[in-house]
Each structure stands twice: as structure tokens, then as C-alpha cells.
Amino acid sequence: MSADYLVVGCGLSGAVMARFMAEERNKKVLIVDKRDHVGGNCYDYIDENGIRINKYGAHLFHTNSERVWKYVNRFSSWTRWEHKVLGVIDGQYIPLPPNITTINMLCGQHLTNQQEVDDWLSRNQLKHKHIDNGYQMATSRVGVTLYEKIFKHYTFKQWGRYPEELDASVLARIPVRNNFDDRYFSDKYQALPSEGYTKVFENILEHENITVRLSCDYFDIDPSTVSNSTIIFSGPIDDFFTNVGYPKLEYRSVNFEIKRLKNTKFFQPCATVNYPGPETPFTRIIEYKHFLNQESPHTTIISETTCSDGDPYYPVPNKRNMELYEQYRALAEKERNIHFVGRLASYKYFNMDQAILNALEYCDSNFSI
Ligand code: UDP
């Protein structure tokens, strides 16, 4: 087991940290994951329909960071992919995030240009004194009608609470457009790894100083065998401090229901169709065949239903959890020779590029020569 660094978790943060210590600091790194594969929640594979699917939900890479873009290009070629999302609302396919077409279709308008949209929005947006929660954020951006149709119930299905019970940042993630742009993201770089995410991780971890051990739960490792290693922990911070007896942090998990439709060209018009209404339990259906225009006589669709139990996916940003996290963070700061890095260890809703940048910047600040 002996290694200079023991990295816990083979997701983005762990893999980037492992590579840095191995390559830039010439350290021996052991990276472990309790799952039987690398890649964390980005893990993908080719299914029995010959279609590449993500085991833990669709992952769309997008970034404005030159540093992150340069970094990921070292480990894979990437194919530009501008993600589009439609929502089934009032029985029709509506573009998301909201743009001119969305407003026209859902609010019976005939807006044609940016000025008209800006005027319509400012007439409809609620003017709150402070933006303290997701409800205030959403209604201050789109007004009540679009809030009810697009955000209110979807957010409840996703988070198990209504927007007023969540941090404003959650409802600020997706833009509101005053034009016809129907891309989900506006970042300079938006792409998918040409050979899939798993390959990216295999390439990041392909280094003579890195040993990967899968199906290995950090908490089952005999501490005496790693007592000389510095630990980089990317798992849930509250799991690390279970013995302290603080309440657990809340996470949302996702239940995936896979359907393989034989001899079916397509099930839906684009890769992601959201179901923002209360009439379905799932939030969205992903049809993976659309990504990079894959070919198969069949198609695979996966519906995502968010739930409170299961693997931790999304930290739940509300007051209770943020305050509790601060208590865990205070414990983490007292630990010597252990670094807590990544979405679960920092209890932050990172996009992929933010997770990579965060890990790289953590190395800049903590492992400079
Ligand atoms: N959201 C919504 N309706 C939608 C799409 C998003 O209410 O059709 C809200 C919801 O609260 C969600 C947040 O916006 O959690 C961020 O959406 P995003 O697509 O970024 O979520 P992710 O892909 O990270 O699950």
C-alpha cells in the first residue's frame, strides 16, 4: 500500500490531483475508489444497443476557462457539442433555457426582438428588495408565469423542496435569453470527449507513478498500512467525520430507469427532454444516441428521478446544510496531512470544469514548490 499520496476517489477531483502529484511533483500515488470503475459520476460505457451511455446521468462539458480547456485536451480529443434541451410543457416541446420562442409559446406573445423581450421581462419580473432564495431569484428573472411552468415543480422534484427553501444560486444556473439562442450553455468551449469520459480518466491516470485500486473502500483500509501517506480525500466530508456525531449533510441522489427500445430510430427530438410539470415523477429523459450523432438501429432512453437516498450526487444548498458544512469544514481544517478536495468534500455544486479548476488551483496553493 505504501505511497506518498493516497487519493480517495477516482472522480474528476481525485484524478486531477493524482496526476498533478505524480507528474508535477514526482510522487508515488495510490488512488482508490470503492466503485469498480474509474471516472466517478462521469463514467460511461457502450451499452448492448451499441450506444455510449453515462451510468450516472448525462455529462455535458462546457467551460470558459482556457486553463481547463487546455488541460482536458491533453487527455482526449473533444468534439464540439452544443447541447440543446426541450421541455414538455402544456403538451408541447418548448426550448429551454427560456428564450424568445419559450416566452411566445408559453405566454401567448409574439415577440420578435431583444428590445421587446427586455420590455416584456421587465413588466413581468417581480422586483424583490433582496434575492435571498431560489423563488426570488427565479421570479426576478422570468416572472410568475414562467416560474410556475418551468421552475417551481421541476425544482421540487429535483431537490425535494420548493425554490423558496433553496439558495438563490440554484435558480441562477440556467440563463434567460432575450434572443433565439436555444443552446443550453453559452460557454466558449462546449464539447464531448470523442472516445467517451472513461477514456479521459484512463488517460489522466496513465502514469508510471500512479497505481489505481478499484473496489477498494477507503474506510476498509487498515490505517497502519497508509500511515506514511498524505491523504487527498474527495468523498463526502460528513462520511469522513462520522465518528464525531454531527448530523449528516443532505444530498440528492438520482434513480435511473433504463429502457432499451429495439428497432427504434429515435424516441424524442433531442438528447435531453425535461419534464418540468408535477404530472411525472422524473425530471428528464436522456436519449443518448443523439450525443455525437451515434448510429444504431435501436435507441436507449434513461429517465432520471431524483431521490433522497442512494449515492450522493447533489449537495443541497440551503441554510441548514451550509451551516452544518461549515462545522465539518472546521474539523477538516484541523486535520494534518489530509486534504479535502472536490464536490463532495467541499459540499459544492460544481460543474465539471469547476471541479477541474478547483483541483488545479488547490494544487497551486497547497503544493507549490
Ligand atoms: N431547473 C428547472 N427547470 C428546468 C431546468 C432547471 O426548474 O427545466 C432548475 C432546477 O432547480 C435545477 C436548476 O434549475 O436544479 C439547475 O438546472 P441544471 O440543468 O443546471 O441542473 P443539472 O443539470 O445540474 O441537474
Side-chain angles (χ1 to χ4, degrees):
M1 275 279 179
S2 107
D4 301 317
Y5 283 83
L6 169 63
V7 179
V8 182
C10 277
L12 275 175
S13 304
V16 170
M17 299 291 295
R19 181 77 191 199
F20 180 89
M21 298 320 302
E23 185 174 55
E24 307 289 336
R25 296 293 173 266
N26 197 26
K27 300 292 184 190
K28 294 280 179 227
V29 178
L30 172 65
I31 182 167
V32 300
D33 201 297
K34 66 179 175 184
R35 289 175 172 163
D36 62 1
H37 58 72
V38 298
N41 284 356
C42 301
Y43 173 72
D44 57 13
Y45 63 98
I46 308 274
D47 82 342
E48 62 207 54
N49 280 346
I51 299 166
R52 186 182 303 286
I53 63 175
N54 286 93
K55 184 163 182 185
Y56 308 99
H59 280 67
L60 283 305
F61 185 84
H62 56 101
T63 191
N64 283 319
S65 162
E66 297 294 337
R67 184 178 185 187
V68 170
W69 182 238
K70 205 168 153 198
Y71 185 82
V72 297
N73 273 276
R74 287 184 53 207
F75 302 107
S76 175
S77 66
W78 293 72
T79 307
R80 184 151 180 100
W81 182 259
E82 296 187 336
H83 187 48
K84 305 231 166 134
V85 175
L86 293 170
V88 174
I89 307 173
D90 296 347
Q92 315 169 75
Y93 285 119
I94 310 277
L96 292 174
N99 66 8
I100 295 189
T101 312
T102 314
I103 297 172
N104 287 344
M105 290 178 79
L106 293 182
C107 303
Q109 299 298 305
H110 301 281
L111 310 175
T112 56
N113 59 50
Q114 303 195 344
Q115 188 57 55
E116 287 175 12
V117 176
D118 290 343
D119 292 346
W120 185 90
L121 283 171
S122 74
R123 283 198 305 279
N124 285 276
Q125 289 161 338
L126 298 192
K127 314 281 185 272
H128 302 286
K129 272 209 185 104
H130 303 283
I131 305 287
D132 294 326
N133 61 48
Y135 166 80
Q136 290 167 345
M137 174 59 79
T139 51
S140 73
R141 300 175 89 207
V142 298
V144 174
T145 305
L146 293 179
Y147 166 74
E148 299 264 343
K149 288 179 190 273
I150 299 173
F151 295 104
K152 181 177 173 182
H153 304 287
Y154 185 106
T155 299
F156 185 75
K157 292 194 288 187
Q158 166 80 19
W159 297 99
R161 60 241 316 136
Y162 286 103
E164 40 271 74
E165 301 165 81
L166 287 168
D167 193 76
S169 60
V170 175
L171 276 293
R173 279 174 60 84
I174 66 172
V176 178
R177 302 234 172 82
N178 61 5
N179 53 30
F180 289 98
D181 186 353
D182 63 351
R183 297 169 307 157
Y184 206 64
F185 308 110
S186 329
D187 302 54
K188 179 170 177 191
Y189 304 109
Q190 10 193 327
L192 292 173
S194 310
E195 294 174 76
Y197 284 99
T198 304
K199 189 79 189 152
V200 178
F201 284 83
E202 286 167 359
N203 290 341
I204 294 176
L205 297 171
E206 178 64 55
H207 190 282
E208 58 188 359
N209 284 342
I210 300 180
T211 304
V212 180
R213 186 166 297 181
L214 300 174
S215 306
C216 173
D217 190 331
Y218 166 71
F219 297 108
D220 293 338
I221 297 176
D222 175 354
S224 67
T225 62
V226 291
S227 55
N228 293 327
S229 305
T230 299
I231 293 168
I232 296 173
F233 185 81
S234 73
I237 191 166
D238 50 336
D239 279 3
F240 192 89
F241 292 109
T242 304
N243 295 343
V244 177
Y246 288 170
K248 295 295 279 179
L249 289 164
E250 281 171 282
Y251 301 88
R252 296 297 283 171
S253 189
V254 186
N255 189 28
F256 300 100
E257 195 190 341
I258 305 188
K259 284 195 185 135
R260 297 211 165 77
L261 309 176
K262 296 293 172 195
N263 301 310
T264 304
K265 198 160 165 46
F266 286 110
F267 170 79
Q268 62 190 32
C270 60
T272 301
V273 173
N274 284 6
Y275 288 79
E279 59 283 349
T280 61
F282 49 85
T283 51
R284 56 192 174 196
I285 297 180
I286 314 291
E287 185 171 25
Y288 282 88
K289 193 177 171 182
H290 287 283
F291 291 127
L292 300 185
N293 306 312
Q294 300 179 71
E295 290 194 9
S296 167
H298 317 298
T299 192
T300 303
I301 58 168
I302 304 185
S303 63
E304 300 185 0
T305 305
T306 317
C307 50
S308 52
D309 297 321
D311 283 358
Y313 284 72
Y314 298 94
V316 181
N318 63 7
K319 196 161 173 287
R320 178 250 182 209
N321 290 322
M322 298 323 292
E323 286 173 2
L324 187 53
Y325 165 68
E326 283 307 318
Q327 290 181 260
Y328 280 111
R329 197 168 68 92
L331 294 175
E333 271 175 12
K334 287 195 204 126
E335 290 287 331
R336 296 174 62 87
N337 254 4
I338 304 186
H339 300 268
F340 294 85
V341 186
R343 184 173 53 102
L344 298 173
S346 323
Y347 201 64
K348 290 221 172 67
Y349 189 176
F350 283 143
N351 289 331
M352 284 184 280
D353 65 327
Q354 293 168 325
I356 294 169
L357 189 60
N358 175 65
L360 292 172
E361 288 179 346
Y362 191 93
C363 293
D364 295 343
S365 335
N366 292 275
F367 303 115
S368 59
I369 303 175

Short mmCIF file of all heavy atoms in Angstrom, two decimals, residues 57-92:
data_model
loop_
_atom_site.label_atom_id
_atom_site.label_comp_id
_atom_site.label_asym_id
_atom_site.label_seq_id
_atom_site.Cartn_x
_atom_site.Cartn_y
_atom_site.Cartn_z
N GLY A 57 -25.96 9.54 -15.30
CA GLY A 57 -26.59 10.75 -15.82
C GLY A 57 -25.70 11.47 -16.83
O GLY A 57 -24.47 11.40 -16.77
N ALA A 58 -26.37 12.17 -17.74
CA ALA A 58 -25.65 12.84 -18.84
C ALA A 58 -24.66 13.86 -18.30
O ALA A 58 -24.95 14.56 -17.33
CB ALA A 58 -26.65 13.52 -19.76
N HIS A 59 -23.50 13.93 -18.92
CA HIS A 59 -22.48 14.91 -18.54
C HIS A 59 -22.10 15.74 -19.76
O HIS A 59 -21.59 15.20 -20.74
CB HIS A 59 -21.25 14.20 -17.97
CG HIS A 59 -21.43 13.80 -16.54
ND1 HIS A 59 -22.34 12.85 -16.13
CD2 HIS A 59 -20.85 14.28 -15.41
CE1 HIS A 59 -22.30 12.75 -14.81
NE2 HIS A 59 -21.40 13.60 -14.35
N LEU A 60 -22.38 17.02 -19.68
CA LEU A 60 -22.09 17.92 -20.79
C LEU A 60 -20.96 18.84 -20.39
O LEU A 60 -21.14 19.64 -19.46
CB LEU A 60 -23.34 18.76 -21.12
CG LEU A 60 -24.47 18.10 -21.90
CD1 LEU A 60 -23.98 17.51 -23.20
CD2 LEU A 60 -25.22 17.06 -21.10
N PHE A 61 -19.86 18.71 -21.08
CA PHE A 61 -18.71 19.53 -20.69
C PHE A 61 -18.82 20.90 -21.33
O PHE A 61 -19.04 21.03 -22.53
CB PHE A 61 -17.40 18.84 -21.12
CG PHE A 61 -16.20 19.59 -20.65
CD1 PHE A 61 -15.72 19.37 -19.37
CD2 PHE A 61 -15.60 20.55 -21.44
CE1 PHE A 61 -14.64 20.10 -18.90
CE2 PHE A 61 -14.52 21.27 -20.97
CZ PHE A 61 -14.04 21.03 -19.70
N HIS A 62 -18.62 21.94 -20.53
CA HIS A 62 -18.61 23.31 -21.07
C HIS A 62 -17.76 24.16 -20.16
O HIS A 62 -17.76 23.99 -18.93
CB HIS A 62 -20.03 23.87 -21.18
CG HIS A 62 -20.80 23.84 -19.89
ND1 HIS A 62 -20.97 24.95 -19.09
CD2 HIS A 62 -21.43 22.84 -19.24
CE1 HIS A 62 -21.69 24.62 -18.04
NE2 HIS A 62 -21.97 23.34 -18.09
N THR A 63 -16.98 25.06 -20.76
CA THR A 63 -16.13 25.92 -19.94
C THR A 63 -15.74 27.18 -20.68
O THR A 63 -15.69 27.20 -21.93
CB THR A 63 -14.85 25.17 -19.49
OG1 THR A 63 -14.19 25.95 -18.50
CG2 THR A 63 -13.88 24.90 -20.66
N ASN A 64 -15.46 28.22 -19.92
CA ASN A 64 -14.84 29.43 -20.48
C ASN A 64 -13.39 29.52 -20.05
O ASN A 64 -12.71 30.48 -20.40
CB ASN A 64 -15.59 30.68 -19.99
CG ASN A 64 -16.89 30.87 -20.75
OD1 ASN A 64 -16.95 30.67 -21.96
ND2 ASN A 64 -17.95 31.24 -20.03
N SER A 65 -12.93 28.54 -19.30
CA SER A 65 -11.57 28.61 -18.77
C SER A 65 -10.57 28.05 -19.78
O SER A 65 -10.63 26.87 -20.14
CB SER A 65 -11.49 27.80 -17.47
OG SER A 65 -10.14 27.50 -17.16
N GLU A 66 -9.65 28.91 -20.20
CA GLU A 66 -8.61 28.46 -21.14
C GLU A 66 -7.76 27.38 -20.48
O GLU A 66 -7.35 26.41 -21.11
CB GLU A 66 -7.68 29.62 -21.55
CG GLU A 66 -8.38 30.75 -22.30
CD GLU A 66 -8.90 30.34 -23.68
OE1 GLU A 66 -8.38 29.37 -24.26
OE2 GLU A 66 -9.85 31.00 -24.16
N ARG A 67 -7.53 27.55 -19.19
CA ARG A 67 -6.68 26.60 -18.48
C ARG A 67 -7.31 25.20 -18.45
O ARG A 67 -6.64 24.20 -18.71
CB ARG A 67 -6.45 27.10 -17.04
CG ARG A 67 -5.50 26.22 -16.28
CD ARG A 67 -5.23 26.74 -14.88
NE ARG A 67 -4.22 25.91 -14.24
CZ ARG A 67 -3.86 26.03 -12.98
NH1 ARG A 67 -4.41 26.95 -12.20
NH2 ARG A 67 -2.93 25.23 -12.47
N VAL A 68 -8.60 25.16 -18.15
CA VAL A 68 -9.28 23.87 -18.08
C VAL A 68 -9.36 23.23 -19.47
O VAL A 68 -9.13 22.03 -19.64
CB VAL A 68 -10.69 24.03 -17.46
CG1 VAL A 68 -11.49 22.75 -17.60
CG2 VAL A 68 -10.57 24.43 -16.00
N TRP A 69 -9.66 24.05 -20.46
CA TRP A 69 -9.79 23.53 -21.82
C TRP A 69 -8.46 22.93 -22.30
O TRP A 69 -8.41 21.83 -22.86
CB TRP A 69 -10.29 24.63 -22.74
CG TRP A 69 -10.50 24.20 -24.16
CD1 TRP A 69 -9.91 24.71 -25.28
CD2 TRP A 69 -11.39 23.15 -24.63
NE1 TRP A 69 -10.36 24.05 -26.39
CE2 TRP A 69 -11.26 23.09 -26.02
CE3 TRP A 69 -12.25 22.26 -23.99
CZ2 TRP A 69 -11.97 22.18 -26.80
CZ3 TRP A 69 -12.96 21.34 -24.77
CH2 TRP A 69 -12.81 21.30 -26.15
N LYS A 70 -7.38 23.65 -22.01
CA LYS A 70 -6.05 23.15 -22.39
C LYS A 70 -5.77 21.84 -21.64
O LYS A 70 -5.26 20.88 -22.21
CB LYS A 70 -5.02 24.22 -21.99
CG LYS A 70 -3.76 24.16 -22.79
CD LYS A 70 -2.93 25.41 -22.54
CE LYS A 70 -1.47 25.06 -22.77
NZ LYS A 70 -0.55 25.99 -22.20
N TYR A 71 -6.14 21.82 -20.38
CA TYR A 71 -5.88 20.63 -19.56
C TYR A 71 -6.61 19.42 -20.12
O TYR A 71 -5.99 18.38 -20.36
CB TYR A 71 -6.33 20.90 -18.11
CG TYR A 71 -5.98 19.76 -17.18
CD1 TYR A 71 -4.70 19.65 -16.64
CD2 TYR A 71 -6.93 18.79 -16.84
CE1 TYR A 71 -4.38 18.59 -15.79
CE2 TYR A 71 -6.62 17.75 -16.00
CZ TYR A 71 -5.33 17.65 -15.48
OH TYR A 71 -5.02 16.59 -14.65
N VAL A 72 -7.90 19.53 -20.37
CA VAL A 72 -8.65 18.34 -20.80
C VAL A 72 -8.21 17.88 -22.20
O VAL A 72 -8.29 16.69 -22.52
CB VAL A 72 -10.19 18.53 -20.74
CG1 VAL A 72 -10.65 18.75 -19.32
CG2 VAL A 72 -10.68 19.63 -21.66
N ASN A 73 -7.70 18.83 -22.99
CA ASN A 73 -7.24 18.44 -24.32
C ASN A 73 -5.94 17.65 -24.30
O ASN A 73 -5.57 17.03 -25.30
CB ASN A 73 -7.11 19.68 -25.22
CG ASN A 73 -8.44 19.98 -25.88
OD1 ASN A 73 -8.78 19.40 -26.92
ND2 ASN A 73 -9.22 20.85 -25.25
N ARG A 74 -5.26 17.64 -23.18
CA ARG A 74 -4.07 16.80 -23.06
C ARG A 74 -4.46 15.32 -23.02
O ARG A 74 -3.65 14.45 -23.31
CB ARG A 74 -3.32 17.11 -21.75
CG ARG A 74 -2.60 18.43 -21.75
CD ARG A 74 -1.83 18.59 -20.45
NE ARG A 74 -0.97 17.44 -20.21
CZ ARG A 74 -0.57 17.01 -19.01
NH1 ARG A 74 -0.95 17.67 -17.93
NH2 ARG A 74 0.21 15.98 -18.88
N PHE A 75 -5.68 15.04 -22.62
CA PHE A 75 -6.03 13.64 -22.32
C PHE A 75 -7.06 13.05 -23.28
O PHE A 75 -7.46 11.90 -23.11
CB PHE A 75 -6.52 13.54 -20.88
CG PHE A 75 -5.48 14.03 -19.91
CD1 PHE A 75 -5.63 15.24 -19.27
CD2 PHE A 75 -4.33 13.29 -19.70
CE1 PHE A 75 -4.65 15.71 -18.40
CE2 PHE A 75 -3.35 13.75 -18.82
CZ PHE A 75 -3.51 14.96 -18.17
N SER A 76 -7.52 13.86 -24.23
CA SER A 76 -8.53 13.33 -25.17
C SER A 76 -8.69 14.33 -26.29
O SER A 76 -8.41 15.52 -26.13
CB SER A 76 -9.86 13.20 -24.42
OG SER A 76 -10.89 12.81 -25.30
N SER A 77 -9.16 13.84 -27.43
CA SER A 77 -9.68 14.80 -28.40
C SER A 77 -11.16 15.02 -28.04
O SER A 77 -11.80 14.15 -27.44
CB SER A 77 -9.52 14.26 -29.83
OG SER A 77 -10.33 13.14 -29.99
N TRP A 78 -11.64 16.18 -28.36
CA TRP A 78 -13.01 16.57 -27.99
C TRP A 78 -13.75 17.00 -29.23
O TRP A 78 -13.18 17.64 -30.11
CB TRP A 78 -12.97 17.71 -26.95
CG TRP A 78 -12.40 17.28 -25.63
CD1 TRP A 78 -11.09 17.01 -25.37
CD2 TRP A 78 -13.12 17.03 -24.42
NE1 TRP A 78 -10.94 16.60 -24.06
CE2 TRP A 78 -12.18 16.61 -23.45
CE3 TRP A 78 -14.47 17.12 -24.06
CZ2 TRP A 78 -12.54 16.28 -22.14
CZ3 TRP A 78 -14.82 16.80 -22.75
CH2 TRP A 78 -13.87 16.38 -21.82
N THR A 79 -15.02 16.66 -29.29
CA THR A 79 -15.83 17.04 -30.44
C THR A 79 -16.83 18.10 -29.99
O THR A 79 -17.53 17.90 -28.99
CB THR A 79 -16.61 15.80 -30.97
OG1 THR A 79 -15.66 14.75 -31.21
CG2 THR A 79 -17.35 16.13 -32.25
N ARG A 80 -16.87 19.20 -30.73
CA ARG A 80 -17.78 20.27 -30.31
C ARG A 80 -19.21 19.74 -30.25
O ARG A 80 -19.66 19.03 -31.15
CB ARG A 80 -17.69 21.46 -31.26
CG ARG A 80 -18.56 22.62 -30.79
CD ARG A 80 -18.08 23.99 -31.20
NE ARG A 80 -19.00 25.01 -30.69
CZ ARG A 80 -18.79 25.73 -29.60
NH1 ARG A 80 -17.70 25.57 -28.89
NH2 ARG A 80 -19.68 26.64 -29.21
N TRP A 81 -19.87 20.06 -29.16
CA TRP A 81 -21.26 19.61 -29.00
C TRP A 81 -22.05 20.68 -28.27
O TRP A 81 -21.79 20.97 -27.11
CB TRP A 81 -21.32 18.29 -28.21
CG TRP A 81 -22.75 17.82 -28.09
CD1 TRP A 81 -23.58 17.95 -27.01
CD2 TRP A 81 -23.52 17.19 -29.11
NE1 TRP A 81 -24.82 17.44 -27.30
CE2 TRP A 81 -24.81 16.96 -28.59
CE3 TRP A 81 -23.25 16.79 -30.42
CZ2 TRP A 81 -25.83 16.36 -29.33
CZ3 TRP A 81 -24.26 16.19 -31.15
CH2 TRP A 81 -25.53 15.98 -30.61
N GLU A 82 -22.98 21.29 -29.00
CA GLU A 82 -23.80 22.34 -28.39
C GLU A 82 -25.09 21.70 -27.93
O GLU A 82 -25.95 21.34 -28.73
CB GLU A 82 -24.03 23.47 -29.40
CG GLU A 82 -22.71 24.15 -29.76
CD GLU A 82 -22.89 25.39 -30.61
OE1 GLU A 82 -23.93 25.50 -31.30
OE2 GLU A 82 -21.99 26.25 -30.57
N HIS A 83 -25.18 21.56 -26.63
CA HIS A 83 -26.30 20.83 -26.03
C HIS A 83 -27.59 21.63 -26.16
O HIS A 83 -27.62 22.83 -25.93
CB HIS A 83 -25.96 20.61 -24.56
CG HIS A 83 -26.93 19.73 -23.83
ND1 HIS A 83 -27.36 18.53 -24.34
CD2 HIS A 83 -27.55 19.87 -22.63
CE1 HIS A 83 -28.20 17.98 -23.48
NE2 HIS A 83 -28.34 18.77 -22.44
N LYS A 84 -28.67 20.92 -26.55
CA LYS A 84 -29.99 21.57 -26.62
C LYS A 84 -30.95 20.79 -25.74
O LYS A 84 -30.89 19.57 -25.66
CB LYS A 84 -30.51 21.55 -28.05
CG LYS A 84 -29.52 22.17 -29.01
CD LYS A 84 -30.13 23.21 -29.90
CE LYS A 84 -29.01 23.99 -30.56
NZ LYS A 84 -29.17 24.21 -31.96
N VAL A 85 -31.83 21.52 -25.12
CA VAL A 85 -32.82 20.89 -24.22
C VAL A 85 -34.21 21.41 -24.59
O VAL A 85 -34.38 22.61 -24.83
CB VAL A 85 -32.50 21.23 -22.74
CG1 VAL A 85 -33.59 20.69 -21.81
CG2 VAL A 85 -31.14 20.67 -22.34
N LEU A 86 -35.15 20.50 -24.64
CA LEU A 86 -36.55 20.90 -24.79
C LEU A 86 -37.30 20.50 -23.53
O LEU A 86 -36.93 19.52 -22.87
CB LEU A 86 -37.18 20.20 -26.00
CG LEU A 86 -36.64 20.60 -27.38
CD1 LEU A 86 -37.17 19.66 -28.46
CD2 LEU A 86 -37.01 22.05 -27.72
N GLY A 87 -38.33 21.25 -23.20
CA GLY A 87 -39.17 20.87 -22.07
C GLY A 87 -40.56 20.53 -22.57
O GLY A 87 -41.06 21.21 -23.49
N VAL A 88 -41.16 19.49 -22.01
CA VAL A 88 -42.56 19.20 -22.35
C VAL A 88 -43.43 20.01 -21.38
O VAL A 88 -43.49 19.71 -20.18
CB VAL A 88 -42.88 17.70 -22.23
CG1 VAL A 88 -44.38 17.46 -22.43
CG2 VAL A 88 -42.08 16.91 -23.25
N ILE A 89 -44.03 21.06 -21.93
CA ILE A 89 -44.85 21.96 -21.09
C ILE A 89 -46.14 22.27 -21.85
O ILE A 89 -46.07 22.58 -23.05
CB ILE A 89 -44.10 23.28 -20.78
CG1 ILE A 89 -42.71 22.98 -20.20
CG2 ILE A 89 -44.91 24.15 -19.81
CD1 ILE A 89 -41.83 24.19 -20.02
N ASP A 90 -47.25 22.20 -21.18
CA ASP A 90 -48.56 22.41 -21.83
C ASP A 90 -48.67 21.52 -23.06
O ASP A 90 -49.22 21.95 -24.11
CB ASP A 90 -48.74 23.90 -22.24
CG ASP A 90 -48.75 24.83 -21.03
OD1 ASP A 90 -48.87 24.34 -19.90
OD2 ASP A 90 -48.62 26.05 -21.24
N GLY A 91 -48.13 20.33 -23.00
CA GLY A 91 -48.26 19.37 -24.10
C GLY A 91 -47.43 19.67 -25.33
O GLY A 91 -47.61 19.06 -26.38
N GLN A 92 -46.50 20.62 -25.23
CA GLN A 92 -45.67 20.95 -26.40
C GLN A 92 -44.20 20.88 -26.03
O GLN A 92 -43.84 21.00 -24.86
CB GLN A 92 -45.92 22.38 -26.87
CG GLN A 92 -47.35 22.83 -26.95
CD GLN A 92 -47.42 24.34 -27.17
OE1 GLN A 92 -47.16 24.83 -28.26
NE2 GLN A 92 -47.73 25.08 -26.11
#
